Amino acid sequence: MDATVWMREAITEAKLADADGDVPIGCVIVHQPTGKMVGRGRNRRELDRDPTAHAEIVAIREAGATVQSWRLIDCILIVTLEPCPMCAGAIVNARIPRLIYGCADPKAGAVNTLFQLCSDDRLNHRVEIQAGVLADECATLLTDFFRRQRLLGKK
């Protein structure tokens, strides 16, 4: 599986979040045996007025509905930004075996940066992690978004 191809799909989702006025984070979930996308998501917190509407949560919900199981044991989650504690916990709880992310999150990263929830031996599931896929492109989406927000006097 070419991680950059799927990361580009996640970046497309991130750009849609940006167009909706939300933080540009995008996510896709791929079913490994078939190589097909079973879930996609983008940040929808502003659009849905829902603090849990992170890209990963939206994609996990769609993937669960698609594969008709809460256990996403044959799936890979690809996201543009290192998951936060809520999303890292959801990845572990969904039994997702592999996570690929773009750029690190120094303020809320719960996979490698601030916490290591996806590899914590005390939990009942651990996740294979690949970090830094198209990291510069993913980071630029975020820095451009927040620069525009500051210019507009928001956030």
Side-chain angles (χ1 to χ4, degrees):
M1 183 194 94
D2 185 354
T4 59
V5 170
W6 292 110
M7 185 61 75
R8 293 220 180 278
E9 290 290 329
I11 288 169
T12 297
E13 288 295 315
K15 290 177 180 177
L16 291 170
D18 193 351
D20 289 339
D22 217 318
V23 178
I25 301 170
C27 179
V28 296
I29 299 178
V30 177
H31 185 247
Q32 271 189 295
T34 63
K36 293 184 179 179
M37 187 185 321
V38 293
R40 65 171 56 230
R42 61 182 179 269
N43 267 18
R44 296 181 53 94
R45 294 181 307 170
E46 298 294 337
L47 195 62
D48 294 350
R49 291 168 176 69
D50 178 356
T52 68
H54 289 205
E56 299 95 323
I57 301 300
V58 173
I60 287 170
R61 287 177 178 154
E62 184 174 296
T66 301
V67 302
Q68 298 185 342
S69 176
W70 64 267
R71 291 178 188 90
L72 301 178
I73 58 173
D74 292 326
C75 296
I76 301 169
L77 187 141
I78 302 99
V79 64
T80 57
L81 180 67
E82 178 183 4
C84 72
M86 175 182 68
C87 295
I91 290 165
V92 169
N93 283 315
R95 309 298 194 267
I96 295 171
R98 186 167 177 214
L99 163 67
I100 299 169
Y101 71 85
C103 58
D105 184 351
K107 294 185 178 183
V111 175
N112 286 322
T113 305
L114 298 178
F115 307 102
Q116 293 79 40
L117 292 179
C118 291
S119 57
D120 192 319
D121 288 335
R122 297 170 294 178
L123 299 176
N124 64 341
H125 176 73
R126 273 149 305 287
V127 181
E128 177 188 336
I129 301 159
Q130 182 180 351
V133 175
L134 300 177
D136 291 341
E137 192 172 338
C138 294
T140 298
L141 288 171
L142 292 162
T143 55
D144 288 351
F145 174 83
F146 287 112
R147 184 178 299 118
R148 285 192 318 272
Q149 295 298 304
R150 284 190 299 278
L151 288 172
L152 296 171
K154 297 179 181 179
K155 299 182 185 186

